[in-house]
Amino acid sequence: DQQVKQNSPSLSVQEGRISILNCDYTNSMFDYFLWYKKYPAEGPTFLISISSIKDKNEDGRFTVFLNKSAKHLSLHIVPSQPGDSAVYFCAARSLYSGGGADGLTFGKGTHLIIQP
Amino acid sequence: GAGVSQTPSNKVTEKGKYVELRCDPISGHTALYWYRQSLGQGPEFLIYFQGTGAADDSGLPNDRFFAVRPEGSVSTLKIQRTERGDSAVYLCASSEGLAGDEQFFGPGTRLTVL
């Protein structure tokens, strides 16, 4: 039973254009969401996060949008650069509802390929 | 400052054998996590330590899996009687230990059970 779903295994985007990666979740207790980026043979690295009290968080070229009623979030990368080619994982936790520092629940990931 | 390190980077073993995977967290981080990433999947939570104690081991798949962190720093994940289905990348992460702190991941240990 996947509580965090990334339904696109891969996404190809032209350099300079916007990349939009999507994520859906089913667990209503999740209140904090994160995006991680992973290169081959490396561990995931934190990219950006958002808490359920917000609907948008921006950090440079990266923006995460949260739609709580739809249990949906998306990561926008603009403009896309060749170095953005990686696997992107959506993750969630129950931070404010007692989860504290507990482990994260990850989606399966989306492989983003930036075409020159 | 060094990041999270994991040894070995690769481990090949035979079905039925015992293996130990080691994680060195970032110095001073009190929280330590183990995850398992199977092919085509995202990381799956196994166990979380706060200091020396396992605060949540609900992700361990069965009693063949065990982890320790005796001095609150280095952790060892132990797998007894390995099965082919245990083949995966085992990831370790650490954080400062407060709720919401960023988890920093190591490069993982790729375990292959033949």
Side-chain angles (χ1 to χ4, degrees):
Chain A
D1 177 29
Q2 279 265 300
Q3 298 187 62
V4 177
K5 300 178 185 180
Q6 293 177 260
N7 292 321
S8 298
S10 66
L11 175 67
S12 184
V13 174
Q14 200 166 10
E15 183 180 356
R17 301 287 187 119
I18 183 170
S19 294
I20 300 176
L21 295 95
N22 293 302
C23 177
D24 297 287
Y25 62 97
T26 57
N27 189 336
S28 301
M29 298 296 284
F30 289 148
D31 52 26
Y32 194 75
F33 305 91
L34 310 91
W35 286 93
Y36 278 81
K37 177 179 179 179
K38 187 180 183 304
Y39 293 117
E42 295 183 10
T45 55
F46 170 75
L47 199 55
I48 192 169
S49 63
I50 188 167
S51 75
S52 57
I53 60 173
K54 294 186 173 184
D55 54 19
K56 177 183 173 181
N57 189 25
E58 192 171 353
D59 183 2
R61 296 186 298 114
F62 303 92
T63 303
V64 56
F65 295 92
L66 175 63
N67 182 334
K68 276 198 310 182
S69 61
K71 292 192 176 69
H72 176 83
L73 60 153
S74 61
L75 173 68
H76 293 212
I77 307 172
V78 56
S80 301
Q81 299 175 353
D84 296 332
S85 295
V87 177
Y88 289 78
F89 290 101
C90 174
R93 76 193 319 176
S94 306
L95 176 60
Y96 303 108
S97 49
D102 285 355
L104 300 169
T105 301
F106 284 86
K108 291 186 178 184
T110 296
H111 185 193
L112 177 64
I113 302 160
I114 305 301
Q115 306 275 10
Chain B
V4 177
S5 62
Q6 293 185 245
T7 53
S9 55
N10 279 284
K11 175 71 177 176
V12 180
T13 191
E14 293 180 343
K15 180 175 177 294
K17 299 287 189 182
Y18 168 83
V19 296
E20 290 189 353
L21 312 179
R22 176 188 167 108
C23 173
D24 278 90
I26 292 172
S27 178
H29 280 191
T30 60
L32 184 146
Y33 307 80
W34 282 100
Y35 293 84
R36 175 170 72 173
Q37 186 178 9
S38 302
L39 195 62
Q41 304 293 317
E44 173 192 8
F45 169 74
L46 296 178
I47 185 170
Y48 148 57
F49 287 90
Q50 187 65 264
T52 60
D56 181 359
D57 64 358
S58 62
L60 294 177
N62 52 60
D63 61 6
R64 295 187 297 106
F65 288 75
F66 189 70
V68 296
R69 195 185 185 200
E71 297 178 359
S73 177
V74 170
S75 176
T76 305
L77 178 66
K78 308 180 181 198
I79 311 174
Q80 298 178 321
R81 304 183 304 279
T82 51
E83 299 177 356
R84 292 196 180 90
D86 299 335
S87 296
V89 175
Y90 289 81
L91 293 162
C92 176
S94 70
S95 77
E96 291 185 4
L98 298 177
D101 282 344
E102 178 184 342
Q103 295 182 22
F104 295 85
F105 282 81
T109 293
R110 179 174 295 280
L111 175 66
T112 303
V113 182
L114 300 177

